Amino acid sequence: MVSDDHGAQRILLEASSLNQHYPLPKSGDRISFCLHQDAKNRLRAQNVSPLPPLKENERVEVVLAEWNFQQNGGYGIHQVQRSSPIFILGQFLNDQTRVPESGEVLEGRLVKHGNGQWLLVEADIIDRPSETEPAIPPQPAAVAGEPESGAGSPEMQAENQAGARRHNPPAALPANRVLNGEIISWDNEKGYGFIRTAQQQSLFFHISAFHYTSQRPQTGQQVSFYCNRPAGSEPQKALKVVLSGHEAALFSDRPYDYHEVNLNMRKLLYYGLSGALYLLAVNYYSTKLAVFYLLSSAAAFWLYRSDKQTAVTQTGKTGYLGRVPEKKLHQIGLIGGWPGALLARSIFNHKTGKASFIRVFWLVAATNIAITYLLLIHYADNPFALWLKN
């Protein structure tokens, strides 16, 4: 057999050394024993017995072997009974502000899952002892009366520091830890900005990484985030960003305010009333066209709702896969569905922050109104217009 405490050194195991309750050992068994050296200087095991099995609700320590940040979970190995992996989920960590790293020790309570696997709950991360900082050699003191060298002049020092920054780029941020920073810039039109970290680094983030449905980032906000792993020369970026105090939402696929009703009643009434008045005006001249516009508005409402749900549940997983193209949203608005789209935008708070989309939206609405006016009033004698009119 091989001992955990003696590396690859083999230890002799004989039948006479087995505990009476352990008559039939098998390869792979985890055992406890006493070590003895015989007359031939060989290491022999005595009083060999199997390690006790894991027990439910027992508090144990495990060494984390792997952690998947995207799935918010991983597994570890019991420090003594190593035969079965013990799974850890982020939702069962007592400290929701950080993520364990491989090699760290976690302590928690064992629970048997329905599939037979062991699960660690009420888990605490036991910090590893910090490494001792290397001693900085003392700098030699300047000799009194000796002129300073050119390297000590302010100009040379600034040049040396700039060269050091060029040759020593800032260290990569850890990809498996919740970090803090401040939004230093945000372009609402383009939908991206930058976060300044505690290490004074600028980190890019896109609107899709902002983990909310009813608000957009603003310069000066304090945020928490995690970023991707560095890949070659590609700069790191924040994958998920929340406001300070909302760190628990980083471990959820759904945005922080997913269950909140964020209705702007003033905007809802204004937009809803505007759309209703337009449909009533169209109905005054042409019930057929009003019914068509009403059906188009219902279809537009459904498309906006579907696109919003896809954006909430799929962002960060499949990118824009499954999203409704903006061109299609504008097309259905052009044929008379813009009142329903206007109502959906206010209810679902969707497509309300992208300035380029908003400009095209109102242009489409104005075009539809102009076409309706020409069709029902200006060219009222047209055969098609006569068929449409009441």
Side-chain angles (χ1 to χ4, degrees):
M1 69 178 187
V2 179
S3 170
D4 292 336
D5 301 323
H6 295 79
Q9 187 174 1
R10 294 180 177 274
I11 299 174
L12 181 63
L13 174 62
E14 296 179 333
S16 58
S17 303
L18 298 175
N19 186 289
Q20 60 179 348
H21 302 294
Y22 185 48
L24 299 174
K26 301 185 296 297
S27 296
D29 285 354
R30 303 287 301 173
I31 59 174
S32 63
F33 57 92
C34 297
L35 200 59
H36 173 71
Q37 195 169 18
D38 62 11
K40 296 182 180 180
N41 292 327
R42 295 178 301 180
L43 292 176
R44 299 179 57 183
Q46 292 184 335
N47 300 326
V48 179
S49 59
L51 288 174
L54 299 175
K55 298 180 181 179
E56 194 162 11
N57 294 320
E58 177 185 11
R59 291 200 67 84
V60 298
E61 292 184 359
V62 300
V63 178
L64 187 65
E66 182 180 341
W67 184 267
N68 187 315
F69 201 94
Q70 297 296 331
Q71 297 181 359
N72 193 30
Y75 73 94
I77 303 299
H78 191 276
Q79 291 185 313
V80 178
Q81 181 60 272
R82 304 185 184 183
S83 57
S84 301
I86 299 175
F87 293 91
I88 306 108
L89 300 179
Q91 65 195 76
F92 296 128
L93 293 174
N94 288 332
D95 185 0
Q96 291 287 316
T97 63
R98 59 163 296 191
V99 174
E101 300 180 31
S102 298
E104 284 189 318
V105 179
L106 285 79
E107 180 186 13
R109 181 169 60 88
L110 281 178
V111 172
K112 195 83 168 184
H113 194 269
N115 60 9
Q117 301 285 357
W118 287 106
L119 190 64
L120 193 70
V121 300
E122 300 173 7
D124 291 306
I125 304 172
I126 302 176
D127 294 325
R128 292 175 292 183
S130 59
E131 298 180 358
T132 305
E133 293 289 338
I136 301 176
Q139 300 295 324
V143 179
E146 182 179 351
E148 295 183 0
S149 62
S153 63
E155 295 79 3
M156 292 298 296
Q157 289 178 358
E159 184 177 345
N160 292 338
Q161 291 174 359
R165 286 193 294 268
R166 286 194 300 268
H167 295 290
N168 300 302
L173 296 170
N176 57 349
R177 185 175 299 174
V178 177
L179 305 172
N180 300 315
E182 178 185 354
I183 298 177
I184 57 173
S185 67
W186 175 254
D187 191 322
N188 206 46
E189 170 72 18
K190 298 179 180 178
Y192 68 79
F194 291 88
I195 299 170
R196 183 173 59 205
T197 68
Q199 295 78 20
Q200 301 302 312
Q201 295 177 235
S202 294
L203 191 70
F204 173 88
F205 77 105
H206 188 261
I207 183 59
S208 60
F210 199 61
H211 210 38
Y212 298 88
T213 62
S214 61
Q215 56 180 305
R216 294 175 76 84
Q218 296 181 11
T219 302
Q221 288 179 320
Q222 299 295 321
V223 294
S224 297
F225 62 94
Y226 69 83
C227 56
N228 62 335
R229 296 184 181 276
S233 59
E234 183 180 352
Q236 287 183 287
K237 63 180 180 179
L239 298 180
K240 193 177 289 186
V241 182
V242 297
L243 300 178
S244 295
H246 299 168
E247 285 78 11
L250 288 172
F251 306 100
S252 173
D253 290 334
R254 292 182 173 180
Y256 176 81
D257 52 358
Y258 181 80
H259 295 293
E260 296 181 4
V261 177
N262 295 283
L263 294 179
N264 186 326
M265 296 305 299
R266 182 178 178 182
K267 184 182 293 186
L268 178 62
L269 290 174
Y270 176 75
Y271 287 164
L273 184 61
S274 299
L277 289 176
Y278 177 69
L279 292 177
L280 287 174
V282 174
N283 183 66
Y284 177 80
Y285 292 97
S286 172
T287 302
K288 296 176 184 177
L289 193 59
V291 170
F292 178 77
Y293 282 0
L294 183 62
L295 294 176
S296 299
S297 294
F301 186 92
W302 182 86
L303 284 177
Y304 274 80
R305 176 180 178 274
S306 176
D307 188 53
K308 177 65 174 183
Q309 289 181 335
T310 304
V312 168
T313 58
Q314 298 299 323
T315 295
K317 296 180 180 179
T318 57
Y320 290 97
L321 186 64
R323 297 287 301 275
V324 179
E326 291 184 354
K327 182 178 179 181
K328 187 174 183 179
L329 296 177
H330 291 316
Q331 287 173 345
I332 198 167
L334 183 62
I335 63 173
W338 67 265
L342 192 62
L343 185 63
R345 289 177 62 228
S346 62
I347 291 179
F348 304 117
N349 196 36
H350 190 46
K351 298 292 186 181
T352 58
K354 190 175 180 180
S356 59
F357 181 90
I358 295 174
R359 285 196 296 267
V360 177
F361 177 87
W362 287 115
L363 179 61
V364 165
T367 303
N368 174 259
I369 294 174
I371 292 174
T372 305
Y373 170 79
L374 292 174
L375 191 62
L376 298 181
I377 298 177
H378 191 74
Y379 294 106
D381 296 334
N382 184 279
F384 182 68
L386 291 174
W387 177 80
L388 283 176
K389 292 184 68 173
N390 294 336

